[in-house]
Amino acid sequence: MPDGGAAGAVRNGRTRLRTAAVGLGAFLLLAPAPGTAHAAPAERLLPAQQEPGDGAGSGDATGLLMVLDASGSMAEDDGSGGTRMAAAREALSTAVDALPDDHPTGLRLFGSESSSCTDTTLAHPVQPLDRDALRDALGEAGPTGNTPTGLALQRAADDLPDPPAGDFGRRTILLVSDGESNCDGPPPCEVASELVGNGVGLRIDTVGFQIGDEGRAELECIAEAGHGTYYDAPDGEALGRELERAALLSADGYRFEGEPVEGTADPKDAPLLAPGQYLDTIGPGEARSYAVELDAASAADVSVTAAPHPGVAVDRRDGLTLLLEDTGERPRRCDSADAAFGSDEGAMVLTQTVSRIPSAGGGAACDEAGRHTVTVTRESAAESDTAHWPVELRFTLEEPLAEGVRPAASATGYGAAGPGADLPTGEPEDVAGGTGFNDAAELGPGAWRDRLLPAQTRWFKVPVGWGQQLRYRVEIGNEPTRETGSASSYVRTAAYAPHRAPIGRGEFTVDRAYRGEPLAVELGTVPVTWTNRYESGAAASPVRVGGDYYIAVSLGPEAVAIARNAAVGVVLRVDVVGEELSGP
């Protein structure tokens, strides 16, 4: 079972918090360079808990192109009395039905018209989803000729629209084949590497249908070079399942919001961030620095979310480290934190936050006004995927309490909302979770039902007021499984405060091994209290302001070898405990 929960230890009067990844993909939100419209003077503050404005980058996926091998071998019997081509038509039709309405989708064929090694055709352009037109295009496909895989990939990259400038919308090529390339020309694996480059905007997934060892090796190489995933489909049922999974993961990638910014390797040259949300990228082993201007009284939070391609190769210790320092002649650390995947199954979303909380009595080293820097470092093992990660960075300021306001005492116990609490029962209502913080689905108390793909995280938000507690449980029921023996993955949950700081597990169990059997994970918060900011424990210190609290629910990538259905059903039982107080 993965190393999932958060553990806290106090360093320099602040909490050093390590979290495990909870889901799909990741991002940094960064600020523009000094002198731009977003550079902020030292005196500028947001009102208490004011939300930053929406940025320009939408992060919506910009297209899925399915590339289908329609060569002569696809005319062979698939073992069920039909041809491989017939099974592929049915499987692609299943994937098309599962895609969201209007998702840009296209189809390219190769080997469908002749034996020429230049035979590849755009059967349907990438445009808002037209299910009937795609089915018609599939119905006209071969099988006929050879397998010019490298050429088909080259042409496929040109078929996909470019994302808008500054946008991290991801484009996906989904290649389906039953054998290796048999044409002279560019080696497919080299083509994939050249097309994808640093891996920010394009991903190549591959599916091997009843494929031999040489063909499987080629498709695995293409997927690795394309910062994607290889899926194995030994029969038509598996082909439909894997195509549906791959297509939906493409359509449900993390939705980014923010203005582009470029962090620097040298903290002295870091761009200055105004309160807001920003986008950058970070490569293996890189460090990126950003500057913020703080006064002596306001609380400041800088959150960083990274969204790698879901499920790509990572080491369990890969992740991000964050360091917040002042900028004196000898910089002093104000806060530090890190987030690691905690499992080597594959990449998921990572989020972590560093904060400057002025001390209760004043006079602490990091209470002083001035320029501070946030440095984000990516840790990456040699064998891990080398794609750059999109990162979203969010900088918020919270003004101090008005003069004469006396906050309530801190609250560090769960009370009646602890592990034994009763949660809502009854028939769950259907809900579709979001892809991340920016489009999280809002929930209230009740029972809710969603579905999770392997390597996917679903996001929800729940309004929680002063004095109240968030409490929820995630349940996985009986699911049909494949005959895979001892395969194991995980189900994991995490919760985040309004400023996106992860909330420690406390007394709860937040991850469990998944083998297709029923299980539950759960989490809760202590009462929302302004004074919790001075507590050292990771379960209490982030719970310091009312607002939207976030729930993330994840299914590990290796569940692909367990679940017979494309997605696994999940039920959330959510409660908000206590009467809302006037606060703080």
Side-chain angles (χ1 to χ4, degrees):
M1 190 169 74
D3 176 19
V10 179
R11 293 192 181 183
N12 286 0
R14 297 287 300 135
T15 301
R16 180 172 176 81
L17 179 64
R18 182 177 182 86
T19 64
V22 296
L24 193 70
F27 54 93
L28 267 178
L29 300 176
L30 307 175
T36 71
H38 298 278
E43 66 273 12
R44 177 176 176 181
L45 292 176
L46 287 181
Q49 294 306 310
Q50 178 179 327
E51 295 293 324
D54 291 339
S58 68
D60 289 343
T62 54
L64 166 67
L65 183 68
M66 297 179 287
V67 180
L68 177 62
D69 178 355
S71 62
S73 60
M74 291 289 284
E76 296 179 9
D77 193 317
D78 72 342
S80 67
T83 65
R84 293 177 181 173
M85 194 67 206
R89 288 192 185 101
E90 183 175 352
L92 264 72
S93 181
T94 298
V96 166
D97 285 341
L99 285 168
D101 292 343
D102 298 325
H103 183 70
T105 307
L107 174 68
R108 173 169 285 276
L109 305 172
F110 59 101
S112 63
E113 296 180 351
S114 72
S115 59
S116 169
C117 278
T118 62
D119 176 19
T120 178
T121 304
L122 181 62
H124 184 76
V126 178
Q127 60 187 36
L129 183 62
D130 185 334
R131 294 181 175 89
D132 290 338
L134 279 164
R135 289 191 186 93
D136 290 344
L138 279 169
E140 299 171 3
T144 302
N146 287 303
T147 313
T149 309
L151 179 63
L153 286 175
Q154 285 181 326
R155 300 285 173 81
D158 293 332
D159 298 334
L160 285 161
D162 292 330
D167 197 305
F168 286 145
R170 287 178 173 172
R171 303 173 299 157
T172 302
I173 294 172
L174 177 54
L175 171 65
V176 185
S177 181
D178 70 339
E180 69 274 19
S181 175
N182 63 356
C183 287
D184 292 334
C189 197
E190 293 181 13
V191 171
S193 180
E194 292 172 0
L195 291 176
V196 174
N198 66 16
V200 172
L202 178 63
R203 166 190 176 108
I204 303 176
D205 291 327
T206 60
V207 181
F209 181 34
Q210 297 186 338
I211 200 164
D213 291 343
E214 291 186 7
R216 181 181 293 105
E218 181 175 272
L219 292 183
E220 287 176 340
C221 183
I222 292 169
E224 182 177 0
H227 305 298
T229 299
Y230 170 76
Y231 299 88
D232 194 65
D235 54 46
E237 179 189 358
L239 181 60
R241 177 177 62 241
E242 307 309 350
L243 284 176
E244 183 178 346
R245 284 172 173 165
L248 286 174
L249 276 181
S250 168
D252 288 340
Y254 192 99
R255 296 326 193 244
F256 294 96
E257 289 184 4
E259 297 292 338
V261 69
E262 292 185 14
T264 59
D266 188 343
K268 295 179 181 178
D269 300 324
L272 183 64
L273 283 69
Q277 194 158 298
Y278 304 90
L279 303 173
D280 201 358
T281 65
I282 191 166
E286 287 185 349
R288 297 279 195 166
S289 290
Y290 314 91
V292 294
E293 198 77 40
L294 304 181
D295 67 5
S298 301
D301 301 289
V302 180
S303 73
V304 177
T305 303
H309 292 297
V312 296
V314 293
D315 184 85
R316 65 189 304 272
R317 292 162 296 197
D318 289 357
L320 301 174
T321 63
L322 280 61
L323 175 63
L324 174 64
E325 298 179 298
D326 66 15
T327 55
E329 185 175 342
R330 302 180 66 179
R332 295 170 293 188
R333 181 176 65 186
C334 302
D335 195 15
S336 60
D338 55 81
F341 293 111
S343 166
D344 59 5
E345 285 191 28
M348 304 288 273
V349 173
L350 291 169
T351 293
Q352 190 51 274
T353 299
V354 284
S355 303
R356 195 290 300 270
I357 306 296
S359 62
C366 287
D367 287 354
E368 297 177 9
R371 188 182 181 98
H372 292 65
T373 58
V374 177
T375 299
V376 182
T377 303
R378 175 177 164 186
E379 307 291 343
S380 185
E383 65 275 12
S384 298
D385 184 72
T386 60
H388 280 56
W389 295 347
V391 288
E392 185 175 82
L393 186 146
R394 179 181 176 90
F395 170 36
T396 55
L397 289 174
E398 177 194 354
E399 292 181 346
L401 298 179
E403 187 175 352
V405 173
R406 184 175 180 179
S410 60
T412 60
Y414 295 104
D422 293 330
L423 292 172
T425 59
E427 184 65 19
E429 297 182 39
D430 289 331
V431 65
T435 67
F437 290 105
N438 300 310
D439 63 350
E442 183 168 333
L443 303 179
W448 309 90
R449 178 173 49 218
D450 200 357
R451 298 188 68 77
L452 270 176
L453 298 163
Q456 185 180 49
T457 298
R458 290 287 216 179
W459 297 77
F460 310 89
K461 62 183 179 182
V462 181
V464 184
W466 294 108
Q468 294 183 315
Q469 296 172 255
L470 171 63
R471 180 71 170 85
Y472 70 93
R473 182 168 62 240
V474 179
E475 300 171 354
I476 305 289
N478 280 312
E479 286 282 341
T481 59
R482 300 169 61 185
E483 297 177 2
T484 55
S486 60
S488 178
S489 186
Y490 62 84
V491 172
R492 180 182 293 157
T493 190
Y496 298 87
H499 56 289
R500 301 186 178 180
I503 297 167
R505 72 168 86 185
E507 301 172 6
F508 298 95
T509 299
V510 297
D511 59 6
R512 292 188 185 276
Y514 177 67
R515 298 183 180 88
E517 301 167 349
L519 62 82
V521 293
E522 56 187 342
L523 192 53
T525 71
V526 299
V528 176
T529 310
W530 191 91
T531 318
N532 281 348
R533 66 194 60 216
Y534 300 127
E535 297 293 334
S536 60
S541 58
V543 188
R544 55 179 170 85
V545 67
D548 287 334
Y549 278 70
Y550 296 91
I551 296 171
V553 183
S554 304
L555 180 62
E558 288 300 320
V560 73
I562 301 170
R564 181 170 291 279
N565 295 328
V568 171
V570 58
V571 170
L572 281 81
R573 302 193 184 276
V574 178
D575 201 4
V576 177
V577 179
E579 294 295 324
E580 184 173 2
L581 305 178
S582 59

